[in-house]
Amino acid sequence: MSNDLNPFANENPFTDPDIQRVTQTTQVNQQSLDDYNPFSQPNVQSKPAAIIPTSTISSSPAENYQINDQKPPAYAETSAQKLNLTDIEKQQQELNQRAAELDRREQLINNPTIGVKNFPPFPSWCPGPIKPCFYQDINLEIPIEFQRWVRLLFYLWIFHVFTLGFNIIAALVVFIATGMGATFGYSILYFVLFTPCSYACWFRPAYKGFRTDSSMNFMIFFFIFFCQVIVNFIEAVGFVDSGFCGIIQMFNLNELYPSIFCGVSTLLFSIQSVLDPYTLFTIHRLYRNTGASFQKAQAEFATNVMSNKNVQNAAASVVTEGARSAMQSNSRGRF
């Protein structure tokens, strides 16, 4: 009875054809994996296939050429990318000027020789009365933005001195050739008189004006330098026996060498007549650009006069003397 209930008692399940087929296939695959050698054949590199979307393929080659031939858009600078080199250079110059001004002030404070008279630069072995009368240092005392003009003004004064010195030589040649001694004598007098007076009367006021921004000193400079311009024209004309070897003196001579020296002297006086008005107008323009005016000069003059101790002492003495005389006259009237 028990053999009848077992379905596999009389039959082998592996004898089924379908099961035998699957078993054989599995064995073949197992043998192929066991025998596989990856180094038995040369490496063959395979290229991946390019995937081209259908949306990018146009219908005709002409359209493809037009699409590939398109140029990129033009590059345009934005306002933030634009650099103004001129402004940068100006800012750098301003920074350099400020640094130089700070160095100048530091040297002005730390220099122990400031205030010691050094001009004219007479040597130390000169006798007692011949000593320097002024202290002058353009690099330390004058602000950076005005040093160029003060230095040019000083060179102009030196040119004036050179012209007067050459005028003496020309007058000496005329004196030797013609015997006219008046021109030679006056030329020496003008050199001795105009050299210190020009420095003290128009260069020093301009120097002080630029140093302390003094309107009063500028007004003194403008007035005296305008007179200097008029004198330059008189020197260039050169009247006979006036002490100046100018145009009239040159044409009045009949000899060659005196005429040549007078011609050179006339040329120097003529250059002065051109440079001085130009310098006067230039410094006046600088003066006006600073916001100064004649009213400011008047107020500064009044302040300086009233703060001067000599003026105060003189005014106090005058008032005291007036009050004393008034009291004496009143006392005499009573008695």
Side-chain angles (χ1 to χ4, degrees), residues 294-314:
F294 183 71
Q295 290 76 14
K296 182 179 178 182
Q298 287 179 333
E300 184 179 348
F301 177 76
T303 303
N304 292 334
V305 169
M306 295 303 297
S307 61
N308 193 339
K309 293 182 179 181
N310 295 327
V311 175
Q312 291 177 357
N313 295 332

Side-chain angles (χ1 to χ4, degrees), residues 162-180:
F162 173 78
T163 303
L164 291 175
F166 188 85
N167 182 61
I168 295 176
I169 299 175
L172 178 61
V173 174
V174 172
F175 173 64
I176 295 172
T178 62
M180 300 170 58

Side-chain angles (χ1 to χ4, degrees), residues 236-268:
V237 172
F239 297 101
V240 179
D241 293 336
S242 64
F244 303 116
C245 297
I247 297 175
I248 297 177
Q249 185 74 30
M250 179 182 63
F251 286 106
N252 194 37
L253 298 173
N254 296 323
E255 298 186 11
L256 178 61
Y257 291 106
S259 300
I260 293 175
F261 277 88
C262 287
V264 176
S265 180
T266 302
L267 178 62
L268 295 176

Side-chain angles (χ1 to χ4, degrees), residues 48-58 64:
I51 300 174
I52 302 176
T54 56
S55 60
T56 59
I57 300 176
S58 59
N64 291 333

Side-chain angles (χ1 to χ4, degrees), residues 214-234:
S214 174
S215 298
M216 183 181 68
N217 285 291
F218 274 116
M219 288 299 170
I220 296 173
F221 165 76
F222 292 144
F223 176 74
I224 298 178
F225 200 71
F226 178 75
C227 297
Q228 177 68 58
V229 172
I230 297 175
V231 172
N232 289 338
F233 285 104
I234 297 174

Side-chain angles (χ1 to χ4, degrees), residues 28-182:
V28 172
N29 291 335
Q30 183 67 30
Q31 292 178 358
S32 62
L33 289 174
D34 294 337
D35 297 335
Y36 175 72
N37 186 5
F39 301 100
S40 61
Q41 295 180 357
N43 295 330
V44 178
Q45 297 180 354
S46 60
K47 297 182 180 179
I51 300 174
I52 302 176
T54 56
S55 60
T56 59
I57 300 176
S58 59
S59 59
S60 62
E63 292 180 359
N64 291 333
Y65 178 76
Q66 292 179 359
I67 293 173
N68 296 329
D69 194 50
Q70 289 181 356
K71 296 181 179 180
Y75 175 75
E77 294 182 352
T78 61
S79 59
Q81 293 174 337
K82 294 181 180 179
L83 297 177
N84 194 342
L85 298 179
T86 305
D87 294 340
I88 295 176
E89 291 177 356
K90 289 182 179 179
Q91 293 177 358
Q92 184 64 33
Q93 290 178 359
E94 291 178 356
L95 292 176
N96 293 335
Q97 289 181 357
R98 291 179 181 177
E101 182 68 19
L102 292 176
D103 293 338
R104 184 186 69 84
R105 292 181 179 180
E106 184 177 359
Q107 293 177 5
L108 192 64
I109 295 173
N110 299 328
N111 193 355
T113 60
I114 291 177
V116 179
K117 297 178 181 179
N118 59 359
F119 192 85
F122 293 120
S124 59
W125 49 263
C126 288
I130 304 177
K131 293 182 179 180
C133 303
F134 305 96
Y135 174 75
Q136 175 179 314
D137 195 338
I138 297 175
N139 294 326
L140 289 180
E141 291 194 313
I142 306 301
I144 301 297
E145 59 271 18
F146 300 129
Q147 287 184 4
R148 174 174 175 265
W149 295 106
V150 175
R151 195 171 284 110
L152 290 176
L153 191 63
F154 180 69
Y155 294 155
L156 181 62
W157 175 78
I158 294 176
F159 182 73
H160 276 260
V161 175
F162 173 78
T163 303
L164 291 175
F166 188 85
N167 182 61
I168 295 176
I169 299 175
L172 178 61
V173 174
V174 172
F175 173 64
I176 295 172
T178 62
M180 300 170 58

